[in-house]
Amino acid sequence: MNICVFLSAADLDERYTRPAREFARLLGKGGHTLVWGGSDVGLMKVVADGVQEAGGRLVGVSVDFLAAKAREGADEMVVAPDLAERKRLLLEKADAVVIMVGGTGTLDEATEILELKKHGRTEKPVVLLNTAGFYDGLKKQFRRMDAEGFLPRPLTDLVFFAEEPVGALAHLEESRGIR
């Protein structure tokens, strides 16, 4: 399965890198392909290293202004002209999506895939990996949106919240009929 991971390119501490390494190892050992933003820095590098070390494939989609930070040695690397095209290509190449910790770019990517799902434009499974409670506030906000009628589909149809990497991958494999 091609699993797109939206995540930070920042250098982060162990409470974020440990679960990211664990997820990457599980992804690679499971024979899956990482589809990611292509950067060879920060948490993006941690995940790409882990997937590659565990025997998985790497498909990167960078963007012109970040191409100097693109990972060499990926199985496939595409450089998009802008962020909108990058997101489109990432989603096009993916069978499923995992949202890990990140900043505004990750939040933008997360809300775009959820908006597409909300309107029935994709049925790809989406998992929000809530490492160290990072997305507790967002989870609460999504639940409020659901409870107060802002979502035309139940929240559980849009996103699965996982607290640990093993649960995130298990959900994706089950939703795609793997196992």
Side-chain angles (χ1 to χ4, degrees):
M1 173 174 22
N2 291 347
I3 300 174
C4 178
V5 178
F6 294 132
L7 71 165
S8 178
D11 290 318
L12 302 170
D13 68 41
E14 191 64 18
R15 69 184 161 151
Y16 298 122
T17 57
R18 181 203 50 78
R21 268 193 301 277
E22 180 184 339
F23 182 77
R25 199 169 32 256
L26 292 167
L27 197 151
K29 282 177 134 179
H32 303 294
T33 297
L34 171 67
V35 179
W36 94 117
S39 289
D40 201 28
V41 296
L43 201 58
M44 284 193 188
K45 177 180 178 14
V46 169
V47 171
D49 287 348
V51 168
Q52 205 164 41
E53 288 165 9
R57 293 190 65 229
L58 301 178
V59 174
V61 182
S62 189
V63 65
D64 275 343
F65 66 89
L66 295 175
K69 295 180 180 182
R71 184 182 185 96
E72 292 184 23
D75 296 288
E76 179 184 339
M77 183 63 69
V78 177
V79 178
D82 56 44
L83 290 171
E85 180 66 5
R86 180 193 203 188
K87 282 190 294 188
R88 188 190 71 73
L89 289 168
L90 285 164
L91 294 175
E92 178 183 287
K93 293 175 178 294
D95 301 312
V97 174
V98 173
I99 303 157
M100 290 185 166
V101 297
T104 55
T106 303
L107 189 57
D108 172 62
E109 293 159 339
T111 55
E112 179 152 337
I113 185 68
L114 295 177
E115 189 68 9
L116 290 170
K117 278 195 81 167
K118 182 180 93 173
H119 292 290
R121 304 297 296 177
T122 185
E123 291 304 319
K124 294 175 185 184
V126 176
V127 173
L128 195 145
L129 183 53
N130 190 27
T131 300
F134 185 80
Y135 285 118
D136 284 350
L138 185 60
K139 191 171 158 180
K140 182 178 179 182
Q141 185 63 48
F142 282 147
R143 287 182 173 155
R144 182 175 180 182
M145 288 175 190
D146 191 29
E148 294 186 16
F150 288 93
L151 304 177
R153 297 173 65 176
L155 182 60
T156 55
D157 287 357
L158 297 177
V159 62
F160 176 82
F161 296 98
E163 300 301 318
E164 294 294 330
V166 68
L169 188 59
H171 175 78
L172 294 179
E173 288 178 340
E174 289 168 16
S175 69
R176 301 301 288 185
I178 299 171
R179 274 207 174 164

